[in-house]
Amino acid sequence: MAADTFAADAGAAYPRPIQRFGRIVIVGGGCYGSYYVRQLGRAQRAAAAEWDELIVVDRDASCAVGRRTPDELPPRTTLVVAEWQQFFEDYLASAVAEPARRRDAIVPSPLMPHLMADWLAARARQRWPGRPVRTERLLAAPDVPWQRAGEDGTHYVSFAEWMCPINCIEPAKCPHTRGPRSWSLPVAVREYADAEGEQGRALEPLVFQCVHRTHGVGMIDVADVVDADAAIATSGARDGASFLIGTVSHCHGALRRLVVG
């Protein structure tokens, strides 16, 4: 969804039809999550977005969202007090079984671990209890300006070597360089997987793109995560497969290599 012509605080002049979601799940209810809640409230009042339920997940009941009164929150907002991994284990499993959940979206936190890769790996282990399912480090470095390998095997990448504001919508003209944004991680991740395949290291890319939807809020589609689980089930049912799981925006991302033996 192109959002290049919209400012983060676009309000009454929002020119597109209202976006309708089932559930919107916000990861975290602290400084980032409370900002996303406020912005979605503005989007709802501007007739830019609507939802059946807005869920905020945080392990602390007294987080910033938890300290707000119901009148200070958008309609149909619920705070779920739980660990993120625990919540998504149950929620995404239900999304596999309920087609209606394909209308849902997830608002990731810049501080969260690679939750989608964690869930997909856990699903693969449940599906094939007698087979090795491993998270392994990337065998080659992606061609991006900034990257760092995490201790859990997650590889963090970015086209930005500077600090980006939370409400940047990654427009066609980069606000930092003042020039055209000529890069896109979803494209780069798939090109990296293709290059690895040419070196005899086959990788099936499963990319969840966080796209700006409205008022500075980026989301990934639950349908993409459910489809990735189905792709792993299909490819892994053969002799084995390796997957490159990425949760990325145009500029930043987290990558994980999942190997089903």
Side-chain angles (χ1 to χ4, degrees), residues 7 9-15 42 46-48 215:
D9 282 328
Y14 194 88
R42 292 174 175 172
H215 288 65

Side-chain angles (χ1 to χ4, degrees), residues 180-206:
R181 179 181 53 74
S182 58
W183 58 85
S184 178
L185 264 173
V187 175
V189 168
R190 292 184 174 92
E191 290 176 345
Y192 171 82
D194 290 342
E196 285 292 277
E198 292 172 358
Q199 296 298 316
R201 300 187 291 263
L203 275 178
E204 183 174 339
L206 303 172

Side-chain angles (χ1 to χ4, degrees), residues 1 16 42 45 70 78 81 94 103 115 132 135 144 147 152 159 162 172 175 178 181 191 205 213 224 233 258:
M1 179 180 299
R16 295 188 174 187
R42 292 174 175 172
R45 292 191 295 274
T78 302
V81 179
S94 70
R103 299 173 51 236
L115 293 173
T135 295
V144 294
Q147 55 189 290
D152 64 350
F159 276 106
W162 50 85
R178 307 288 184 179
R181 179 181 53 74
E191 290 176 345
R213 299 297 169 84
D224 290 343
L258 179 67

Side-chain angles (χ1 to χ4, degrees), residues 243-260:
F243 305 90
L244 182 62
I245 304 171
T247 299
V248 302
S249 65
H250 283 301
C251 301
H252 317 283
L255 309 178
R256 180 87 61 83
R257 182 167 171 258
L258 179 67
V259 179
V260 179

Side-chain angles (χ1 to χ4, degrees), residues 216-237:
V217 181
M219 305 181 192
I220 64 176
D221 291 326
V222 168
D224 290 343
V225 184
V226 171
D227 290 345
D229 180 58
I232 291 173
T234 298
S235 298

